[in-house]
């Protein structure tokens, strides 16, 4: 149960109702990460614009890689809601639920290519110890693995975005269940 008042779709009116309708049209259904922001409808729109750009915009990082990083960030933060949602999205690409679960449990035990392993390490370190990121140790290893500066930027944006969203979810008591997990358009 959320820690604050939430205006559901059946009670929504005005701009909130329109925002909800548009989200349902685009995504197949409304997520609790949206409804938790119902008292400030404009934040839903801004949030979705940022999400769409970071996760679906043109990038040297594939959608699967971005979802992989989202799972690592969310697992590091203990955010089950985002870990499950983005694990489901990642499974759309990986098609291996056991592998997705292992990524969240301990990505180091997976057979990942070097780029993916380095991106997972970046996701974990930038989440758990952001002040310890170093150009020499962290950024240069990504460049040596062949990632471009744009790819590195996009990776940091993914990590930063999910730390932001994890804190909304954890700070306001957003929960998930089976109904919440199914029915989205990827």
């Amino acid at each position: 149960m959320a820690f604050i008042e939430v205006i559901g779709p059946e009670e929504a009116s005005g701009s909130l109702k329109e925002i909800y309708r548009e989200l349902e049209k685009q995504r197949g259904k409304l997520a609790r990460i949206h409804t938790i922001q119902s008292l400030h409808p404009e934040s839903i729109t801004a949030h979705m614009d940022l999400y769409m750009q970071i996760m679906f915009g043109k990038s040297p990082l594939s959608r699967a890689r971005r979802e992989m990083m989202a799972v690592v960030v969310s697992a590091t933060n203990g955010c089950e809601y985002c870990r499950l949602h983005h694990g489901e999205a990642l499974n759309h690409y990986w098609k291996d639920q056991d592998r997705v679960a292992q990524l969240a449990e301990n990505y180091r035990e997976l057979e990942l290519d070097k780029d993916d392993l380095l991106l997972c390490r970046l996701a974990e370190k930038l989440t758990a110890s952001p002040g310890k990121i170093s150009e020499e140790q962290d950024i240069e290893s990504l460049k040596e693995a062949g990632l471009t500066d744009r790819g590195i930027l996009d990776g940091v944006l993914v990590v930063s975005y999910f730390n932001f969203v994890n804190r909304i979810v954890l700070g306001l008591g957003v929960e998930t269940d089976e109904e919440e997990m199914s029915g989205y358009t990827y």
Side-chain angles (χ1 to χ4, degrees):
M1 187 63 123
F3 301 158
I4 63 172
E5 175 190 357
V6 173
I7 302 168
E10 51 288 335
E11 298 96 31
S13 62
S15 67
L16 179 60
K17 187 172 192 159
E18 289 304 312
I19 290 167
Y20 280 177
R21 279 189 190 145
E22 187 62 29
L23 285 169
E24 287 173 336
K25 181 178 152 187
Q26 292 172 353
R27 302 190 27 92
K29 67 183 282 186
L30 196 57
R32 291 183 186 148
I33 189 62
H34 305 124
T35 60
I36 197 69
Q37 298 174 79
S38 63
L39 300 176
H40 188 352
E42 298 80 8
S43 73
I44 301 169
T45 303
H47 178 168
M48 282 308 296
D49 288 347
L50 181 62
Y51 170 74
M52 293 303 292
Q53 185 59 46
I54 288 174
M55 295 303 288
F56 290 87
K58 187 175 179 178
S59 173
L61 299 181
S62 69
R63 283 273 303 122
R65 278 191 167 159
R66 289 180 267 181
E67 294 294 353
M68 175 191 72
M69 294 178 77
V71 170
V72 172
V73 170
S74 299
T76 301
N77 281 323
C79 184
E80 181 180 12
Y81 179 93
C82 292
R83 181 185 60 78
L84 291 172
H85 270 274
H86 292 280
E88 191 69 27
L90 178 58
N91 195 48
H92 179 76
Y93 300 100
W94 281 10
K95 302 196 183 322
D96 185 341
Q97 193 62 47
D98 292 337
R99 191 167 184 241
V100 172
Q102 184 59 52
L103 175 74
E105 184 67 30
N106 185 353
Y107 68 84
R108 290 171 206 79
E109 293 181 3
L110 278 177
E111 288 187 32
L112 295 170
D113 68 30
K114 186 177 182 178
D115 292 1
D116 286 347
L117 181 61
L118 290 170
L119 288 168
C120 287
R121 285 183 186 155
L122 176 69
E124 180 183 45
K125 188 172 182 180
L126 187 54
T127 297
S129 304
K132 293 187 179 179
I133 295 291
S134 76
E135 181 178 10
E136 183 178 301
Q137 183 179 3
D138 302 300
I139 304 305
E140 286 304 320
S141 64
L142 289 165
K143 289 179 180 182
E144 289 168 11
L147 270 77
T148 63
D149 283 354
R150 171 63 193 272
I152 294 166
L153 169 63
D154 288 0
V156 169
L157 288 171
V158 169
V159 173
S160 301
Y161 170 78
F162 278 94
N163 275 289
F164 163 71
V165 175
N166 288 176
R167 279 146 181 81
I168 294 171
V169 168
L170 295 168
L172 296 175
V174 178
E175 296 177 342
T176 194
D177 56 32
E178 288 295 319
E179 179 185 338
E180 170 74 10
M181 291 306 303
S182 63
Y184 292 99
T185 304
Y186 292 108

